[in-house]
mmCIF file of all heavy atoms in Angstrom:
data_model
loop_
_atom_site.group_PDB
_atom_site.id
_atom_site.type_symbol
_atom_site.label_atom_id
_atom_site.label_comp_id
_atom_site.label_asym_id
_atom_site.label_seq_id
_atom_site.Cartn_x
_atom_site.Cartn_y
_atom_site.Cartn_z
ATOM 1 N N GLN A 26 0.806 -1.238 -0.052
ATOM 2 C CA GLN A 26 0.034 -0.018 -0.012
ATOM 3 C C GLN A 26 0.875 1.257 -0.004
ATOM 4 O O GLN A 26 0.361 2.320 0.118
ATOM 5 C CB GLN A 26 -0.920 0.044 1.215
ATOM 6 C CG GLN A 26 -1.991 -1.087 1.200
ATOM 7 C CD GLN A 26 -2.749 -1.104 2.447
ATOM 8 O OE1 GLN A 26 -2.495 -0.562 3.422
ATOM 9 N NE2 GLN A 26 -3.945 -1.829 2.344
ATOM 10 N N SER A 27 2.215 1.187 -0.087
ATOM 11 C CA SER A 27 3.075 2.237 -0.116
ATOM 12 C C SER A 27 3.071 3.042 1.196
ATOM 13 O O SER A 27 3.374 4.307 1.173
ATOM 14 C CB SER A 27 2.866 3.108 -1.323
ATOM 15 O OG SER A 27 3.138 2.358 -2.556
ATOM 16 N N LYS A 28 2.572 2.425 2.310
ATOM 17 C CA LYS A 28 2.556 3.027 3.584
ATOM 18 C C LYS A 28 3.895 2.963 4.222
ATOM 19 O O LYS A 28 4.203 3.737 5.281
ATOM 20 C CB LYS A 28 1.563 2.700 4.473
ATOM 21 C CG LYS A 28 0.112 2.981 3.963
ATOM 22 C CD LYS A 28 -0.947 2.451 4.864
ATOM 23 C CE LYS A 28 -2.300 2.790 4.358
ATOM 24 N NZ LYS A 28 -3.319 2.365 5.225
ATOM 25 N N ALA A 29 4.814 1.934 3.831
ATOM 26 C CA ALA A 29 5.973 1.728 4.473
ATOM 27 C C ALA A 29 7.106 2.634 4.133
ATOM 28 O O ALA A 29 7.120 3.015 2.890
ATOM 29 C CB ALA A 29 6.464 0.320 4.308
ATOM 30 N N LYS A 30 7.948 3.240 4.942
ATOM 31 C CA LYS A 30 9.083 4.087 4.633
ATOM 32 C C LYS A 30 10.317 3.391 4.835
ATOM 33 O O LYS A 30 11.399 3.659 4.177
ATOM 34 C CB LYS A 30 9.043 5.339 5.515
ATOM 35 C CG LYS A 30 7.775 6.056 5.490
ATOM 36 C CD LYS A 30 7.405 6.568 4.106
ATOM 37 C CE LYS A 30 6.111 7.405 4.200
ATOM 38 N NZ LYS A 30 5.235 7.225 3.048
ATOM 39 N N LEU A 31 10.437 2.381 5.712
ATOM 40 C CA LEU A 31 11.677 1.567 6.097
ATOM 41 C C LEU A 31 11.248 0.227 6.557
ATOM 42 O O LEU A 31 10.230 0.221 7.441
ATOM 43 C CB LEU A 31 12.569 2.374 6.923
ATOM 44 C CG LEU A 31 13.749 1.765 7.486
ATOM 45 C CD1 LEU A 31 14.737 1.531 6.392
ATOM 46 C CD2 LEU A 31 14.437 2.608 8.641
ATOM 47 N N VAL A 32 11.915 -0.742 6.208
ATOM 48 C CA VAL A 32 11.711 -2.200 6.691
ATOM 49 C C VAL A 32 12.769 -2.729 7.488
ATOM 50 O O VAL A 32 13.934 -2.761 6.947
ATOM 51 C CB VAL A 32 11.199 -3.097 5.632
ATOM 52 C CG1 VAL A 32 10.973 -4.431 6.104
ATOM 53 C CG2 VAL A 32 10.096 -2.683 4.870
ATOM 54 N N PHE A 33 12.685 -3.085 8.734
ATOM 55 C CA PHE A 33 13.645 -3.671 9.521
ATOM 56 C C PHE A 33 13.365 -5.218 9.495
ATOM 57 O O PHE A 33 12.235 -5.578 9.884
ATOM 58 C CB PHE A 33 13.548 -3.225 10.995
ATOM 59 C CG PHE A 33 14.085 -1.795 11.178
ATOM 60 C CD1 PHE A 33 13.167 -0.813 11.232
ATOM 61 C CD2 PHE A 33 15.385 -1.513 11.379
ATOM 62 C CE1 PHE A 33 13.648 0.557 11.474
ATOM 63 C CE2 PHE A 33 15.929 -0.225 11.528
ATOM 64 C CZ PHE A 33 14.966 0.825 11.568
ATOM 65 N N ILE A 34 14.321 -6.035 9.131
ATOM 66 C CA ILE A 34 14.140 -7.450 8.982
ATOM 67 C C ILE A 34 15.032 -8.009 10.090
ATOM 68 O O ILE A 34 16.261 -7.862 10.172
ATOM 69 C CB ILE A 34 14.619 -7.991 7.677
ATOM 70 C CG1 ILE A 34 13.651 -7.304 6.500
ATOM 71 C CG2 ILE A 34 14.517 -9.471 7.593
ATOM 72 C CD1 ILE A 34 14.029 -7.481 5.188
ATOM 73 N N GLY A 35 14.295 -8.820 10.936
ATOM 74 C CA GLY A 35 14.996 -9.543 12.103
ATOM 75 C C GLY A 35 15.979 -10.570 11.642
ATOM 76 O O GLY A 35 15.661 -11.241 10.532
ATOM 77 N N GLN A 36 16.913 -11.002 12.415
ATOM 78 C CA GLN A 36 17.870 -11.972 12.034
ATOM 79 C C GLN A 36 17.331 -13.391 12.410
ATOM 80 O O GLN A 36 17.876 -14.469 11.963
ATOM 81 C CB GLN A 36 19.253 -11.780 12.657
ATOM 82 C CG GLN A 36 19.196 -11.924 14.242
ATOM 83 C CD GLN A 36 20.499 -11.615 14.847
ATOM 84 O OE1 GLN A 36 21.352 -11.096 14.086
ATOM 85 N NE2 GLN A 36 20.663 -11.780 16.059
ATOM 86 N N ASP A 37 16.176 -13.499 13.103
ATOM 87 C CA ASP A 37 15.591 -14.691 13.581
ATOM 88 C C ASP A 37 14.426 -15.163 12.689
ATOM 89 O O ASP A 37 13.802 -16.197 13.105
ATOM 90 C CB ASP A 37 15.271 -14.623 14.970
ATOM 91 C CG ASP A 37 14.266 -13.576 15.202
ATOM 92 O OD1 ASP A 37 14.017 -12.772 14.419
ATOM 93 O OD2 ASP A 37 13.597 -13.695 16.371
ATOM 94 N N ILE A 38 14.225 -14.594 11.623
ATOM 95 C CA ILE A 38 13.039 -15.050 10.732
ATOM 96 C C ILE A 38 13.458 -15.990 9.739
ATOM 97 O O ILE A 38 14.769 -16.059 9.433
ATOM 98 C CB ILE A 38 12.354 -13.808 10.074
ATOM 99 C CG1 ILE A 38 13.383 -13.155 9.041
ATOM 100 C CG2 ILE A 38 11.821 -12.882 11.026
ATOM 101 C CD1 ILE A 38 12.570 -12.057 8.248
ATOM 102 N N SER A 39 12.609 -16.804 9.185
ATOM 103 C CA SER A 39 13.003 -17.846 8.255
ATOM 104 C C SER A 39 13.619 -17.223 6.947
ATOM 105 O O SER A 39 13.182 -16.148 6.522
ATOM 106 C CB SER A 39 11.721 -18.711 7.989
ATOM 107 O OG SER A 39 10.922 -18.007 7.121
ATOM 108 N N PRO A 40 14.329 -17.997 6.175
ATOM 109 C CA PRO A 40 14.967 -17.478 4.954
ATOM 110 C C PRO A 40 13.838 -17.199 3.902
ATOM 111 O O PRO A 40 13.854 -16.206 3.165
ATOM 112 C CB PRO A 40 15.845 -18.695 4.424
ATOM 113 C CG PRO A 40 16.207 -19.485 5.675
ATOM 114 C CD PRO A 40 14.964 -19.280 6.709
ATOM 115 N N LEU A 41 12.712 -17.966 3.956
ATOM 116 C CA LEU A 41 11.640 -17.662 2.958
ATOM 117 C C LEU A 41 11.001 -16.374 3.260
ATOM 118 O O LEU A 41 10.715 -15.616 2.413
ATOM 119 C CB LEU A 41 10.605 -18.813 3.079
ATOM 120 C CG LEU A 41 9.387 -18.562 2.122
ATOM 121 C CD1 LEU A 41 9.827 -18.613 0.526
ATOM 122 C CD2 LEU A 41 8.500 -19.852 2.371
ATOM 123 N N THR A 42 10.712 -16.165 4.520
ATOM 124 C CA THR A 42 10.048 -14.890 4.989
ATOM 125 C C THR A 42 11.038 -13.703 4.726
ATOM 126 O O THR A 42 10.716 -12.581 4.134
ATOM 127 C CB THR A 42 9.685 -14.898 6.445
ATOM 128 O OG1 THR A 42 8.924 -15.943 6.751
ATOM 129 C CG2 THR A 42 9.021 -13.618 6.977
ATOM 130 N N GLN A 43 12.238 -13.872 5.037
ATOM 131 C CA GLN A 43 13.321 -12.742 4.655
ATOM 132 C C GLN A 43 13.340 -12.489 3.234
ATOM 133 O O GLN A 43 13.312 -11.337 2.811
ATOM 134 C CB GLN A 43 14.723 -13.296 5.134
ATOM 135 C CG GLN A 43 15.714 -12.226 4.969
ATOM 136 C CD GLN A 43 17.116 -12.637 5.480
ATOM 137 O OE1 GLN A 43 17.184 -13.645 6.126
ATOM 138 N NE2 GLN A 43 18.108 -11.922 5.144
ATOM 139 N N LYS A 44 13.264 -13.528 2.377
ATOM 140 C CA LYS A 44 13.251 -13.264 0.887
ATOM 141 C C LYS A 44 11.934 -12.615 0.436
ATOM 142 O O LYS A 44 12.109 -11.642 -0.371
ATOM 143 C CB LYS A 44 13.427 -14.587 0.175
ATOM 144 C CG LYS A 44 13.358 -14.538 -1.383
ATOM 145 C CD LYS A 44 13.670 -15.876 -2.003
ATOM 146 C CE LYS A 44 13.598 -15.834 -3.509
ATOM 147 N NZ LYS A 44 13.362 -14.529 -4.267
ATOM 148 N N LYS A 45 10.795 -12.947 1.029
ATOM 149 C CA LYS A 45 9.615 -12.310 0.707
ATOM 150 C C LYS A 45 9.626 -10.846 1.006
ATOM 151 O O LYS A 45 9.356 -10.109 0.251
ATOM 152 C CB LYS A 45 8.599 -13.044 1.530
ATOM 153 C CG LYS A 45 7.183 -13.219 0.796
ATOM 154 C CD LYS A 45 6.097 -13.619 1.645
ATOM 155 C CE LYS A 45 6.286 -15.192 1.985
ATOM 156 N NZ LYS A 45 5.055 -15.733 2.743
ATOM 157 N N LEU A 46 10.174 -10.507 2.272
ATOM 158 C CA LEU A 46 10.202 -9.141 2.601
ATOM 159 C C LEU A 46 11.095 -8.317 1.810
ATOM 160 O O LEU A 46 10.835 -7.258 1.389
ATOM 161 C CB LEU A 46 10.509 -9.040 4.111
ATOM 162 C CG LEU A 46 9.407 -9.501 5.187
ATOM 163 C CD1 LEU A 46 9.942 -9.541 6.537
ATOM 164 C CD2 LEU A 46 8.163 -8.628 5.051
ATOM 165 N N THR A 47 12.302 -8.916 1.575
ATOM 166 C CA THR A 47 13.357 -8.249 0.610
ATOM 167 C C THR A 47 12.814 -8.052 -0.668
ATOM 168 O O THR A 47 13.040 -6.955 -1.335
ATOM 169 C CB THR A 47 14.581 -9.069 0.792
ATOM 170 O OG1 THR A 47 15.160 -9.201 2.140
ATOM 171 C CG2 THR A 47 15.700 -8.424 -0.007
ATOM 172 N N ASP A 48 12.377 -9.067 -1.292
ATOM 173 C CA ASP A 48 11.766 -8.850 -2.707
ATOM 174 C C ASP A 48 10.733 -7.826 -2.772
ATOM 175 O O ASP A 48 10.792 -7.042 -3.606
ATOM 176 C CB ASP A 48 11.272 -10.224 -3.229
ATOM 177 C CG ASP A 48 12.405 -11.287 -3.484
ATOM 178 O OD1 ASP A 48 13.568 -10.843 -3.496
ATOM 179 O OD2 ASP A 48 12.084 -12.395 -3.755
ATOM 180 N N LYS A 49 9.766 -7.783 -1.868
ATOM 181 C CA LYS A 49 8.689 -6.765 -1.905
ATOM 182 C C LYS A 49 9.276 -5.477 -1.622
ATOM 183 O O LYS A 49 8.845 -4.457 -2.349
ATOM 184 C CB LYS A 49 7.580 -7.050 -0.916
ATOM 185 C CG LYS A 49 6.774 -8.243 -1.086
ATOM 186 C CD LYS A 49 5.750 -7.827 -2.076
ATOM 187 C CE LYS A 49 4.751 -8.976 -2.312
ATOM 188 N NZ LYS A 49 3.845 -8.852 -3.332
ATOM 189 N N SER A 50 10.255 -5.231 -0.761
ATOM 190 C CA SER A 50 10.854 -3.989 -0.500
ATOM 191 C C SER A 50 11.568 -3.394 -1.775
ATOM 192 O O SER A 50 11.489 -2.312 -2.082
ATOM 193 C CB SER A 50 11.884 -4.124 0.705
ATOM 194 O OG SER A 50 11.255 -4.323 1.906
ATOM 195 N N HIS A 51 12.318 -4.264 -2.363
ATOM 196 C CA HIS A 51 13.092 -4.000 -3.639
ATOM 197 C C HIS A 51 12.131 -3.590 -4.712
ATOM 198 O O HIS A 51 12.259 -2.513 -5.378
ATOM 199 C CB HIS A 51 13.975 -5.009 -4.101
ATOM 200 C CG HIS A 51 15.092 -5.197 -3.275
ATOM 201 N ND1 HIS A 51 16.114 -6.214 -3.434
ATOM 202 C CD2 HIS A 51 15.591 -4.473 -2.080
ATOM 203 C CE1 HIS A 51 16.959 -6.129 -2.439
ATOM 204 N NE2 HIS A 51 16.638 -5.132 -1.681
ATOM 205 N N PHE A 52 10.950 -4.413 -4.942
ATOM 206 C CA PHE A 52 9.995 -4.126 -6.003
ATOM 207 C C PHE A 52 9.370 -2.717 -5.720
ATOM 208 O O PHE A 52 9.184 -1.923 -6.759
ATOM 209 C CB PHE A 52 9.024 -5.177 -6.016
ATOM 210 C CG PHE A 52 7.879 -4.923 -7.172
ATOM 211 C CD1 PHE A 52 8.208 -5.359 -8.445
ATOM 212 C CD2 PHE A 52 6.671 -4.497 -6.836
ATOM 213 C CE1 PHE A 52 7.365 -5.290 -9.346
ATOM 214 C CE2 PHE A 52 5.735 -4.246 -7.851
ATOM 215 C CZ PHE A 52 6.062 -4.679 -9.126
ATOM 216 N N TYR A 53 8.937 -2.496 -4.490
ATOM 217 C CA TYR A 53 8.279 -1.172 -4.227
ATOM 218 C C TYR A 53 9.214 0.019 -3.888
ATOM 219 O O TYR A 53 8.859 1.065 -3.505
ATOM 220 C CB TYR A 53 7.239 -1.403 -3.102
ATOM 221 C CG TYR A 53 6.050 -2.148 -3.520
ATOM 222 C CD1 TYR A 53 5.999 -3.504 -3.402
ATOM 223 C CD2 TYR A 53 5.067 -1.577 -4.149
ATOM 224 C CE1 TYR A 53 4.808 -4.234 -3.850
ATOM 225 C CE2 TYR A 53 3.825 -2.238 -4.693
ATOM 226 C CZ TYR A 53 3.788 -3.600 -4.385
ATOM 227 O OH TYR A 53 2.721 -4.362 -4.916
ATOM 228 N N LYS A 54 10.565 -0.258 -3.980
ATOM 229 C CA LYS A 54 11.565 0.640 -3.797
ATOM 230 C C LYS A 54 11.570 1.282 -2.355
ATOM 231 O O LYS A 54 11.657 2.482 -2.148
ATOM 232 C CB LYS A 54 11.640 1.789 -4.871
ATOM 233 C CG LYS A 54 11.880 1.357 -6.218
ATOM 234 C CD LYS A 54 11.800 2.438 -7.222
ATOM 235 C CE LYS A 54 12.118 1.868 -8.601
ATOM 236 N NZ LYS A 54 11.596 0.662 -9.220
ATOM 237 N N ILE A 55 11.442 0.322 -1.412
ATOM 238 C CA ILE A 55 11.297 0.789 -0.007
ATOM 239 C C ILE A 55 12.572 0.338 0.676
ATOM 240 O O ILE A 55 12.968 -0.869 0.492
ATOM 241 C CB ILE A 55 10.145 0.235 0.723
ATOM 242 C CG1 ILE A 55 8.990 0.752 0.186
ATOM 243 C CG2 ILE A 55 10.273 0.519 2.218
ATOM 244 C CD1 ILE A 55 7.685 0.162 0.474
ATOM 245 N N PRO A 56 13.479 1.125 1.234
ATOM 246 C CA PRO A 56 14.636 0.621 1.956
ATOM 247 C C PRO A 56 14.417 -0.392 2.985
ATOM 248 O O PRO A 56 13.471 -0.290 3.705
ATOM 249 C CB PRO A 56 15.316 1.888 2.382
ATOM 250 C CG PRO A 56 14.330 2.941 2.475
ATOM 251 C CD PRO A 56 13.255 2.584 1.458
ATOM 252 N N GLU A 57 15.359 -1.262 3.050
ATOM 253 C CA GLU A 57 15.316 -2.309 4.260
ATOM 254 C C GLU A 57 16.710 -2.515 4.791
ATOM 255 O O GLU A 57 17.622 -2.256 4.194
ATOM 256 C CB GLU A 57 14.654 -3.527 3.714
ATOM 257 C CG GLU A 57 15.095 -4.126 2.382
ATOM 258 C CD GLU A 57 16.266 -4.972 2.357
ATOM 259 O OE1 GLU A 57 16.630 -5.580 3.414
ATOM 260 O OE2 GLU A 57 16.826 -5.169 1.205
ATOM 261 N N THR A 58 16.623 -3.010 6.023
ATOM 262 C CA THR A 58 17.957 -3.262 6.666
ATOM 263 C C THR A 58 17.653 -4.558 7.450
ATOM 264 O O THR A 58 16.535 -4.915 7.851
ATOM 265 C CB THR A 58 18.338 -2.161 7.664
ATOM 266 O OG1 THR A 58 19.508 -2.551 8.230
ATOM 267 C CG2 THR A 58 17.382 -2.012 8.780
ATOM 268 N N LYS A 59 18.693 -5.382 7.430
ATOM 269 C CA LYS A 59 18.670 -6.802 8.167
ATOM 270 C C LYS A 59 19.587 -6.781 9.353
ATOM 271 O O LYS A 59 20.416 -6.094 9.450
ATOM 272 C CB LYS A 59 19.153 -7.793 7.077
ATOM 273 C CG LYS A 59 18.346 -7.865 5.862
ATOM 274 C CD LYS A 59 18.912 -8.774 4.886
ATOM 275 C CE LYS A 59 18.045 -8.677 3.680
ATOM 276 N NZ LYS A 59 18.839 -9.054 2.371
ATOM 277 N N GLY A 60 19.370 -7.838 10.238
ATOM 278 C CA GLY A 60 20.085 -8.196 11.313
ATOM 279 C C GLY A 60 19.815 -7.673 12.643
ATOM 280 O O GLY A 60 20.566 -7.703 13.537
#
């Protein structure tokens, strides 16, 4: 919905969830950080 400005991705989530969040962030051009 383009409401996100920044996505923090925890280090304890599954690789599939991490990929999903990262891919969506890149597609919608929203910065994300991991760890």
Side-chain angles (χ1 to χ4, degrees):
Q26 293 175 347
S27 298
K28 292 182 178 180
K30 305 297 182 221
L31 176 64
V32 178
F33 288 98
I34 301 175
Q36 65 185 13
D37 61 342
I38 63 173
S39 73
L41 181 60
T42 302
Q43 183 176 351
K44 181 177 178 356
K45 216 186 289 186
L46 291 171
T47 302
D48 289 350
K49 284 285 185 193
S50 295
H51 289 174
F52 182 80
Y53 287 94
K54 296 178 176 49
I55 297 170
E57 40 91 12
T58 185
K59 298 175 187 153

